[in-house]
Amino acid sequence: MNETRELVSRCLRKEPAAWDQFVRRYEALVTRSVRHKLKKLNFRLRKEEYRDIVQEIFTSIWEKDKLSKLRDPDRLRGWLAIVSLNFTSNYCSRKRFKQARTTFSLDEELAGESRGLTLRSVLSSAKLNTAKAVEANELGATIDKEISTLVPKQQLALKLNILDGKTQKEISSIMNVPEGTVATLISRAKKQLRQNLTRVLGASRYL
């Protein structure tokens, strides 16, 4: 059993010493992931607040036994980065909901997979734009589902590349892997996703 597998196994047995070691080893990775997502969402928090998010991520992993869902401990870093990005996204969504404004701009973009459509465009042509919104949501849901079938490192590299617009050099820094590895991950992920989407809805034109 290698060191990472042994550490994960000990954490699953709820050994405090192992958990302390786990946090120390991966705190920097989780912090980078949180800060990256906050920057991408243009969500500004005080230093102590994003530190709280990092702590909440580790607490959630510990209390909810999320490590038991990790199929391959050798892919722990990629899995942990994805967990951190998703947790941060959900945190920001909850915080924005609590701070929801009472007025909205008609020219503000709709959120989620309907990005690019504005409230004004939807109201001005309800039939046409509602259809566009539904199509966008359905396509987005399908793509998200197919991306989730990729291995964790491929998921992360692909999302950073095609969704966040990150360069291979930036992704290399975030994932702490060589740029050549990033290129391979993205290439394989796109090939697999293209095959999956073509099979599901004949959508090879999307990638």
Side-chain angles (χ1 to χ4, degrees):
M1 182 180 294
N2 64 35
E3 185 180 358
T4 301
R5 287 177 178 270
E6 182 179 1
L7 180 60
V8 170
S9 179
R10 290 175 60 203
C11 287
L12 288 172
R13 293 198 299 269
K14 298 294 186 181
E15 295 183 18
W19 182 249
D20 288 342
Q21 182 181 349
F22 181 89
V23 173
R24 288 196 303 271
R25 178 177 296 182
Y26 298 109
E27 186 174 15
L29 169 64
V30 172
T31 299
R32 287 197 303 272
S33 300
V34 169
R35 295 180 69 176
H36 166 74
K37 194 62 179 181
L38 290 173
K39 183 178 180 180
K40 178 63 182 176
L41 294 173
N42 195 26
F43 206 95
R44 295 186 178 182
L45 293 177
R46 297 190 302 273
K47 191 172 184 178
E48 58 269 23
E49 287 182 292
Y50 75 71
R51 284 179 175 173
D52 287 342
I53 297 177
V54 172
Q55 183 60 46
E56 286 184 39
I57 290 171
F58 281 114
T59 299
S60 176
I61 292 172
W62 171 265
E63 293 182 346
K64 298 180 180 180
D65 289 323
K66 289 186 176 181
L67 282 172
S68 63
K69 299 179 181 179
L70 178 62
R71 296 179 181 179
D72 184 356
D74 291 334
R75 295 171 175 167
L76 175 60
R77 295 184 66 86
W79 176 86
L80 192 54
I82 290 174
V83 168
S84 302
L85 291 171
N86 290 340
F87 187 97
T88 305
S89 181
N90 291 335
Y91 175 91
C92 292
S93 295
R94 292 194 304 269
K95 195 171 183 67
R96 279 188 173 132
F97 179 78
K98 291 179 181 179
Q99 298 173 342
R101 296 164 293 175
T102 56
T103 59
F104 299 88
S105 167
L106 289 176
D107 295 311
E108 182 176 3
E109 285 189 354
L110 301 179
E113 299 301 336
S114 298
R115 191 174 301 279
L117 293 176
T118 64
L119 187 58
R120 185 186 301 279
S121 68
V122 171
L123 291 176
S124 64
S125 181
K127 183 177 180 179
L128 175 62
N129 288 290
T130 297
K132 287 183 179 179
V134 170
E135 181 182 0
N137 278 301
E138 289 178 349
L139 177 59
T142 300
I143 292 176
D144 284 344
K145 180 180 178 180
E146 295 306 321
I147 289 178
S148 70
T149 66
L150 302 174
V151 298
K153 281 189 176 181
Q154 289 181 352
Q155 285 188 51
L156 180 59
L158 188 64
K159 287 182 177 181
L160 290 173
N161 180 238
I162 68 174
L163 299 183
D164 293 351
K166 292 296 180 183
T167 65
Q168 290 184 11
K169 183 176 181 179
E170 292 171 325
I171 297 172
S172 172
S173 176
I174 292 170
M175 296 183 65
N176 194 30
V177 297
E179 286 187 51
T181 300
V182 172
T184 300
L185 288 171
I186 293 174
S187 176
R188 290 177 178 175
K190 284 187 175 182
K191 180 179 179 181
Q192 185 62 51
L193 183 58
R194 184 181 295 111
Q195 292 174 346
N196 292 352
L197 290 175
T198 301
R199 171 179 51 81
V200 173
L201 42 79
S204 59
R205 66 185 183 276
Y206 291 111
L207 286 174

